[in-house]
Structure formats: structure tokens, C-alpha cells
Amino acid sequence: MTQTADPAAPHRDAIPSLRAKDYKSDIKPVWCPGCGHFGVLAALTKTLAYLDIAPEQAAVVSGIGCSSRLPAYLSGYGFHGVHGRALPVASGLKAARPDLTVIAAGGDGDGFSIGGNHFLHACRRNQDLTYIVMDNEVYGMTKGQASPTTPPDWAKSKLTPHGTGMPRFKPAAIALAAGAGFVARGFAGDPNGLTELLAAAIQHPGFAFVHVLSPCRTYRPEQQDWKTEVHPCVLGPAHDIAHAAELLQRDDGLALGILYEQRFPVYADGVSADAAGRLADIEAELCR
Ligand code: SF4
């Protein structure tokens, strides 16, 4: 394990009443054998059990892509929605149901390309959400096109036969610059370490971004090497932005752990009674 979750976790003294398997649905994942997303699913179910969050008290919202199938494999509330729009849906849900543990999840294409704008503003808005991005540096579901995090010289896609030639999107540095108060990186091949990171992220009051290196066995088989390349982030976590920026300037993209943690005021606790009344009026109008 790479990090220790907050020992003051609210539910940790009690014996967890549910186990990881209780958070899995009956639907069998259709991911390719060896896909990193299996490790993320395992870590997330262990995290929810560790924190003793009842399935009906958690909601996982996703966009589109291989990794965005995640909610279907969980037993709690889930929403497999529109490409790049996991965060706006999760934000609306958190505003309407502040009592729920709301987790948004998806891939690098979904979250950093079409959803990139939402990512920036979710970081600075600082609602109490956790955002897990399973990054394999490729669009897997649509058969291997370059994504925002693909290295510029990766030339195996027919759409970019000479590589993209563009610098890569740097998720952790961008989250920091956009105002996120919790930035961490995990590895799907280290489910125990990832469980601790996810527990810390869920317990963080405010927006928590967890960048997960999750290999695509089919279109990026070379990512199997990540097993030997990842390493703990020995310089983190940073608790001030200047230190974090310095750390991320030197980051090789393979350092695991909490990179930055800072507490900021959390955006509005929820929808006011007035607003809830207006929403009910709108709903009644639409359903007439
Ligand atoms: Fe996983 Fe890649 Fe297969 Fe998609 S295409 S399920 S990301 S291994």
C-alpha cells in the first residue's frame, strides 16, 4: 500500500458490516482479460466496504468508454451516461442529494477530451465529489485512437500514423492548476494501494481527483511494463501549492500516492429548500 488513509475515518472503529463482494452486481464485466479496470473495480468495492458505506448511500456516475461501464458492475446507485458528462451529472446529483457519497468515474478520452472543460470547473468548484479517471492513454472502446494523454510519438493508430506530435495532457498538474484540493495517482495493478488512495479521496472534504494508471491490454500491451515502472511518490504529499507545482514539474507520470492535499471551503452543501421547491415545480410541469 502506498498511503495510509485517515485514521480518523468515521466508520473505521466499527466492524464493517459488508464485504467487497456485497458491492458487486450480478453483471459480469465485458472488459478484455487482463484489462486494468478489473483492478479499479476491485479497489473501489474494497474501499466502500472499508468505509462501511452502504450501497444505497453511494452513487457512481460515468460517461462513455470501457472504464465507464463501471457502474453496471456495482450494486449501488449508478448512472452510465453521456460522453464526457460524468462530472456535470455527478455535480447535480450531489447538489440534490448531499447525503450520498458521489463518485464520478471514466477514462482519459471521456474525462480529458470531451469532458475536459467540466474537469477544470469541477476542480475549482470544489463540491464534495471523488473523480476517478482510469487512464490508459488510448480510446479503447472505439478501437485504439490517440487520446489526450497518448505520447506524441505513439504511431500505432491509423488516424495518427506518425503520432499526434502534440504534448500530452498532464492530468495531475492541470487539476492542481485548476484548483483541486486533492490530487492523487494510483495504479490498477496495486489494488491495495489504490484502495487506500480511494478511501483518502472519499474522506477528503471537497473535490478529490484520483488519476489511475489502468493498462489497456489490447491496444497498449506495452503498458504491462507499468508494473515495474511505477514507484512511490517519495516527495509527496505536498500541502502547499508551490511545493506541489514543483513536485509535479519533476513528475515522471509514474509516481504513486497522494501528490497534493489542501482543504478549501466546500461548495454549497446542497440545494436549498426554495430551490428544491422550484425543482419540484419544474418536474411537475414537465410531467403534466
Ligand atoms: Fe480494457 Fe483496452 Fe479491452 Fe477496453 S479495449 S476493455 S480498455 S483492455
Side-chain angles (χ1 to χ4, degrees), residues 30-38 65-67 69 134 136 138-144 214-220 223-224:
V30 295
W31 294 319
C32 308
C35 175
H37 306 337
F38 284 102
C66 295
S67 53
R69 297 179 192 273
M134 290 158 261
N136 50 25
V138 76
Y139 283 93
M141 200 177 76
T142 48
K143 303 205 179 306
S214 185
C216 173
R217 180 95 187 193
T218 300
Y219 295 105
R220 299 296 305 274
Q223 291 173 343
Q224 297 308 307

Side-chain angles (χ1 to χ4, degrees), residues 260-283:
Y260 174 62
E261 185 166 22
Q262 177 74 277
R263 296 194 177 190
F264 299 120
V266 178
Y267 184 83
D269 282 333
V271 179
S272 67
D274 268 7
R278 285 198 298 277
L279 284 174
D281 290 346
I282 292 168
E283 198 175 309

Side-chain angles (χ1 to χ4, degrees), residues 61 89 120 138:
V61 178
V89 174
L120 298 179
V138 76

Side-chain angles (χ1 to χ4, degrees), residues 223-258:
Q223 291 173 343
Q224 297 308 307
D225 293 346
W226 282 348
K227 281 199 268 292
T228 54
E229 293 170 349
V230 293
H231 55 87
C233 171
V234 288
L235 299 175
H239 294 288
D240 74 83
I241 198 157
H243 177 201
E246 189 190 336
L247 190 151
L248 289 173
Q249 280 300 316
R250 288 196 255 150
D251 179 35
D252 63 358
L254 295 163
L256 308 183
I258 300 174

